[in-house]
Each structure stands twice: as C-alpha cells, then as structure tokens.
Amino acid sequence: MTESTHSNCKSLLGSLSDYVDGDLGAELCREIEKHIAECEDCRIVVDTTRKTVDLVHASNLPQTGLPDEVRDRLFKRLNLADYLKPVSQ
Amino acid sequence: MIETISKPDISLEALRAGDRAEFARLVDSYSAPIYRLGLRMLGNEQDAEDVLQNTFLSAFTHLSNFEGRSSVLTWLYRIAVNESLMVMRRGKPEVNIDDTDSSDEAEDFSPTQFVDWGALPEDMLLSVEGKQALDRAIQNLPENLRMVFLLRDIQELSIKDTAETLGLTESNVKVRLLRARLSLREQLSVYYGERINQEKIND
C-alpha cells in the first residue's frame, strides 16, 4: 500500500470487519469493491481477512459437548453428584 | 455454529430458592460453552476445567446478585472471563481488560503481509497443521484482543453481548475485533507465505 496511489486503503481498513461480516451498507460495499478492483494489496487483505474469519468459524465445528469425566468432576465439586444422570441428548 | 443453547427454561426463582435440581439443569445447559471458552482462552484442559468449576461455584454463591437483566449465558461468560483472567495473570502484573489506550486505533495494525493465500485449497487450510497454525495465532493475540475475539468469533456472541460481558463499549469491541482479525491475518499470511515458498522450492 504505497502512500501516493492508495489514499483509500486506510479508510477501507476501518470498514473491513463490517464488510466481511456483511454488516456494511450497500453504498460503502460498492466503494470497497470499486477500490479493491483497482488495488491488488487491498484485494488480498480483504480476501485473506474473510478467509481468516471463515477458517475460525470452520474450525469451531463440531461443537463438542463436555467430556464425561469433566462433567463428573464438576458435579462432584458442586455437590451435585446426586444429579449425575446421563445427559439426555 | 451459533452458540444458541436453545434457551433452556431455567427458573431464577427456583435457583434462588436453592433448588439443586434446577442448578444441575443450569450446569448441564451451559457447562459446554463455558468449558470451550476456557480451553480457547487458556489453551489447556486443566486450566479450562478449573475455570469451569470456579465459574459455577461463583455463580452459585452470587445468584442473588444476578438480576436477570442480561441473559444467563452472558452472566456466566462474564464470570468465566474473570476467572480466566485470574488464571492468566498468575504471577503476572495486572492488566485491565477495560484499558483504553491510544493504541486502540486500527491504524496501528496496518497490514504488512500481502501473500495471496486465500485461494489455497481447503484441505490445506483445514489440515491439522493449518488448524494448529490458527490456534497458535489465537494464543499469540494480546489478552485484551483475545477476549473480544473469542467471545465474538469463537463463542459467536453479538457485538452487544460481547460488550456487555467485558464491560466495554460496542465501538471498543468493534475496534478490538478488527485488530484481532488483522493480527490473525498477518500471522497466517506469514505461515502460508512460508508454505507457498516451500512448495515452489520443492517443485
């Protein structure tokens, strides 16, 4: 992002999170899309930021439950051992 | 996946009246997300289990302080975040999560890495090594960014709930989230840049 030709780069950065989350208004989206069509560095930053967020979400899956032995110890610590029935899932 | 724990009907009145069966239901409804938060914050199972146990012990002790203005989950997250901070700060100088300093500007995090790794194949990005690189990058985030990132992008709380949990303003949450994401992006760019170079050498 060299200073002379990329005065829009910094303002793009401020809207980046909202843009990749799909929370940015249509007009600002168009501005960003116009800018990244001309600015390869910003295009890469947008693409790889979106990919980063996608990877975080993808690596969240599957949502594992609590390991049985952790649940056992938790219930005992809380004096709830009487309620240690199997989880109904 | 969204952390919706399909709002179990926990009765606050029953909890406050000391109904242990109801407390057991509360624990079963919310223990998994609290444990995962601890795992992500602290990076090891033993500390995550300590946080899990201390969170519910504290919740049980302070039930009378919970006024029901936030959701039960937000309230539990707030306790878990504080418990995690205590573990993280063992033997370390105190850092306040609500520290607002002049570096809370996204400009400080201007990208320096322009490796175009976004189009790499999914099986490389989601490989065991790829996930480990992502985990390392998350662990490298400064504490105040990691908290925001974990609640918003891992636990998938809304900006509003993240702000409420951490006692921050929504705009502060947004700035920190952006900084966290940009930091992760930089770190992954370095990692995948090296992988891409390695492949070129091997070809």
Side-chain angles (χ1 to χ4, degrees):
Chain A
M1 289 195 207
T2 49
E3 206 64 40
S4 54
T5 51
H6 299 280
S7 55
N8 289 330
C9 299
K10 274 197 171 178
S11 65
L12 175 141
L13 209 56
S15 308
L16 187 56
S17 260
D18 283 341
Y19 181 67
V20 300
D21 286 341
D23 291 337
L24 204 61
E27 194 174 326
L28 283 172
C29 282
R30 273 195 300 276
E31 275 182 32
I32 287 186
E33 278 146 23
K34 184 167 176 284
H35 176 68
I36 62 180
E38 295 161 356
C39 176
E40 178 65 359
D41 280 354
C42 279
R43 200 270 306 157
I44 291 173
V45 170
V46 169
D47 278 0
T48 51
T49 301
R50 181 183 283 124
K51 200 74 195 179
T52 299
V53 175
D54 286 350
L55 286 179
V56 168
H57 290 160
S59 71
N60 278 349
L61 301 173
Q63 296 278 5
T64 47
L66 201 63
D68 285 345
E69 65 279 10
V70 174
R71 179 171 176 264
D72 282 3
R73 288 192 292 266
L74 175 62
F75 271 62
K76 283 172 187 155
R77 179 88 195 276
L78 298 170
N79 289 324
L80 292 171
D82 303 352
Y83 299 95
L84 255 177
K85 291 171 291 196
V87 187
S88 51
Q89 279 180 353
Chain B
M1 186 184 291
I2 296 169
E3 192 72 59
T4 45
I5 321 175
S6 52
K7 294 232 167 180
D9 262 334
I10 303 287
S11 159
L12 265 183
E13 288 71 33
L15 287 175
R16 287 185 183 136
D19 182 335
R20 291 171 66 239
E22 193 66 0
F23 194 69
R25 289 213 313 127
L26 175 87
V27 173
D28 264 337
S29 302
Y30 296 113
S31 51
I34 298 292
Y35 181 65
R36 280 198 298 274
L37 177 67
L39 267 182
R40 284 289 193 169
M41 295 242 263
L42 302 163
N44 77 79
E45 291 168 0
Q46 185 55 56
D47 285 343
E49 189 167 341
D50 286 349
V51 164
L52 174 70
Q53 294 185 355
N54 290 339
T55 296
F56 283 102
L57 281 172
S58 175
F60 191 64
T61 312
H62 296 105
L63 267 172
S64 57
N65 297 351
F66 178 60
E67 295 167 353
R69 280 198 296 240
S70 60
S71 74
V72 175
L73 183 59
T74 307
W75 176 61
L76 289 172
Y77 272 144
R78 197 180 309 144
I79 299 173
V81 164
N82 286 326
E83 293 291 339
S84 299
L85 284 173
M86 278 194 265
V87 173
M88 287 159 86
R89 288 167 185 169
R90 278 178 200 151
K92 288 186 194 168
E94 186 152 336
V95 183
N96 287 325
I97 185 67
D98 56 356
D99 265 358
T100 312
D101 54 33
S102 56
S103 64
D104 259 4
E105 299 290 332
E107 280 79 358
D108 295 340
F109 280 66
S110 290
T112 62
Q113 300 290 325
F114 301 100
V115 178
D116 194 8
W117 57 270
L120 286 174
E122 290 283 308
D123 58 358
M124 183 196 252
L125 297 175
L126 291 171
S127 65
V128 174
E129 292 81 5
K131 286 181 180 170
Q132 285 170 345
L134 178 60
D135 282 342
R136 275 196 305 276
I138 293 171
Q139 291 299 323
N140 284 340
L141 288 175
E143 191 181 278
N144 63 347
L145 301 189
R146 184 150 38 119
M147 296 290 182
V148 169
F149 170 78
L150 290 178
L151 290 175
R152 173 70 179 133
D153 273 347
I154 304 275
Q155 308 295 91
E156 306 199 9
L157 265 64
S158 65
I159 295 279
K160 182 173 176 291
D161 284 348
T162 304
E164 196 171 296
T165 301
L166 297 175
L168 298 170
T169 64
E170 289 186 32
S171 62
N172 211 255
V173 165
K174 285 188 173 190
V175 170
R176 290 187 191 196
L177 179 68
L178 174 61
R179 288 173 58 178
R181 287 171 166 184
L182 287 173
S183 170
L184 294 181
R185 192 205 73 86
E186 290 281 307
Q187 295 184 66
L188 290 181
S189 297
V190 171
Y191 173 77
Y192 285 112
E194 286 168 4
R195 297 289 301 266
I196 291 168
N197 282 338
Q198 196 62 43
E199 290 207 348
K200 278 184 193 155
I201 292 166
N202 292 341
D203 277 351

